[in-house]
Amino acid sequence: MNPDDRKLEVLRAIVEDYVETQEPVGSKALVDRHKLGVSPATVRNDMAVLEEEGYIRQPHTSAGRVPTDAGYRLFVDRLTKIKPLSPAERRAIERFMIGAVDLDDVVHRTVRLLAQLTRQVAVVQYPSLSRSAVRHLELVPISTTRLMLVMITDTGRVEQRLVEMPGPIADGEVWELRLRVNEKLAGQKLADTPSLVQKLVEECDTGRRAAMTCLASVLLETLVERSEERLALAGTANLTRGGVLDFQGTLRPVLEALEEEVILLKLIGDLEPRTTRVLIGDENQIDNLRSASVVSSGYGPGTTIVGGLGVLGPTRMDYPGTIATVRAVARYVGDLLAQN
């Protein structure tokens, strides 16, 4: 083993021991625990070089060493393999997810599962409307002058709006409006619908134009103008499981960040298909999360990404296991959406 490879092995051993024990790691412990094939003196020299290069540090005098953000980053970047999930873990995920009855159930099962498996804070974004397509639009008469518009997307999201009509509307007219909007909009991406909604009004005969205009206004509000995204969060209590060195001794900034949905969306959104992103410590652009790490992945049917999910915890994290779990859960959720 050349010196560079040996230093990486020493760093790997330090990361693994510190994640497991929550205690700074000394050279004697490394020699006792790991078969590095070199003398304790060589290990001490390698640790000195790693400290000089900024990959490990000594939290206080006469203590062992702990990884720095740069050390964790090098460890993650040099991972030769992601710890595979056991057959039992895969079966548990499949059984837990397969019982979901609707999109809300899928999201809440997913966020609870991630928190339980990783022992971190889990965040799951509902499928984004901006990335969804219209599956079906239903019009339900509430009274002679009021309809309920129900939009169902291809990702299972359901949006409901009341439509106040300009005057009494017969069941036959409701049926005709339902037929026309579905012919024009079903299967279309929500981002492509504004011009199609306008055509619905332009192509409508004079007798139904007033009703279609009212409906079109609510359609645009539902299809286009609804910009807020929804999130589910679980496992916040897991933040208290760590040691005194986690989160630089205080959880307050992290908890404040978790209250801001905009921050959480930045952490788990905008991911490429089938990729996993790991942000460590200072790599987080949010000041309150400089002591945390985030592992996230996009999910969706096939290669289409409709939302993000991930976990947040201390930089002292089981990265191989967490990456494997986040990837596996994202894949199961994507498969569920594809089936439904």
Side-chain angles (χ1 to χ4, degrees):
M1 185 181 297
N2 65 51
D4 286 340
D5 289 340
R6 191 181 64 238
K7 281 191 301 181
L8 286 174
E9 279 298 296
V10 171
L11 176 62
R12 177 194 58 77
I14 292 172
V15 169
E16 291 178 353
D17 280 9
Y18 182 56
V19 167
E20 180 181 349
T21 67
Q22 303 182 30
E23 296 289 339
V25 182
S27 58
K28 184 176 186 305
L30 289 181
V31 173
D32 291 343
R33 281 173 170 263
H34 302 272
K35 297 178 180 179
L36 298 174
V38 293
S39 67
T42 301
V43 171
R44 286 193 294 272
N45 288 337
D46 287 339
M47 291 176 70
V49 175
L50 287 168
E51 186 170 10
E52 184 178 338
E53 293 175 345
Y55 294 120
I56 59 176
R57 64 182 179 87
Q58 189 174 29
H60 49 81
T61 307
S62 72
R65 303 304 191 269
V66 300
T68 63
D69 289 353
Y72 285 122
R73 170 49 61 192
L74 182 59
F75 172 77
V76 170
D77 288 346
R78 296 298 181 92
L79 281 175
T80 56
K81 60 181 179 179
I82 302 300
K83 185 172 75 175
L85 297 183
S86 69
E89 287 172 323
R90 292 186 179 277
R91 286 195 299 272
I93 293 174
E94 188 171 1
R95 282 198 303 270
F96 192 76
M97 296 299 298
I98 205 167
V101 296
D102 57 22
L103 182 62
D104 280 328
D105 199 13
V106 168
V107 171
H108 285 102
R109 282 171 180 260
T110 301
V111 77
R112 293 199 309 273
L113 181 66
L114 272 176
Q116 291 168 8
L117 291 178
T118 64
R119 297 186 176 184
Q120 310 292 356
V121 180
V123 185
V124 177
Q125 176 190 12
Y126 276 77
S128 173
L129 285 177
S130 62
R131 300 171 182 171
S132 303
V134 178
R135 176 182 289 175
H136 181 71
L137 289 158
E138 186 58 56
L139 295 174
V140 181
I142 304 298
S143 70
T144 56
T145 60
R146 180 179 289 179
L147 303 178
M148 174 69 76
L149 169 66
V150 182
M151 180 187 70
I152 304 170
T153 72
D154 61 344
T155 55
R157 272 189 76 160
V158 178
E159 300 291 329
Q160 301 181 25
R161 291 293 178 102
L162 283 175
V163 185
E164 297 288 348
M165 305 307 290
I169 183 168
D171 289 346
E173 291 181 280
V174 175
W175 181 86
E176 182 68 25
L177 290 173
R178 183 190 299 119
L179 179 65
R180 288 183 178 274
V181 296
N182 277 290
E183 283 179 345
K184 184 69 72 175
L185 300 175
Q188 300 295 327
K189 290 290 184 184
L190 270 65
D192 300 332
T193 56
S195 61
L196 299 175
V197 173
Q198 183 59 39
K199 286 182 180 179
L200 277 170
V201 177
E202 294 171 355
E203 296 170 359
C204 192
D205 59 72
T206 306
R208 295 193 179 94
R209 183 160 296 179
M212 184 62 82
T213 300
C214 291
L215 178 58
S217 175
V218 178
L219 274 171
L220 285 173
E221 185 180 354
T222 307
L223 295 166
V224 181
E225 296 175 6
R226 190 177 180 89
S227 58
E228 68 265 28
E229 299 290 354
R230 296 169 60 194
L231 292 168
L233 187 73
T236 305
N238 288 330
L239 294 175
T240 64
R241 301 172 65 91
V244 68
L245 294 179
D246 291 343
F247 304 112
Q248 299 172 0
T250 176
L251 280 173
R252 185 185 181 95
V254 179
L255 293 173
E256 289 176 349
L258 291 176
E259 292 180 355
E260 299 292 333
E261 286 200 353
V262 173
I263 289 177
L264 297 178
L265 283 169
K266 286 181 180 179
L267 293 176
I268 64 171
D270 301 325
L271 290 166
E272 295 297 320
R274 304 299 184 187
T275 61
T276 304
R277 180 171 63 194
V278 181
L279 297 175
I280 301 171
D282 284 337
E283 295 173 356
N284 287 300
Q285 296 181 358
I286 293 91
D287 289 339
N288 283 359
L289 295 179
R290 300 288 190 186
S291 61
S293 287
V294 180
V295 179
S296 57
S297 178
Y299 72 86
T303 58
T304 302
I305 294 299
V306 297
L309 57 80
V311 298
L312 178 148
T315 54
R316 183 189 56 80
M317 180 185 289
D318 173 17
Y319 290 99
T322 301
I323 292 170
T325 300
V326 168
R327 283 181 179 176
V329 172
R331 186 169 61 251
Y332 275 106
V333 176
D335 289 346
L336 275 177
L337 293 181
Q339 293 167 13
N340 296 325

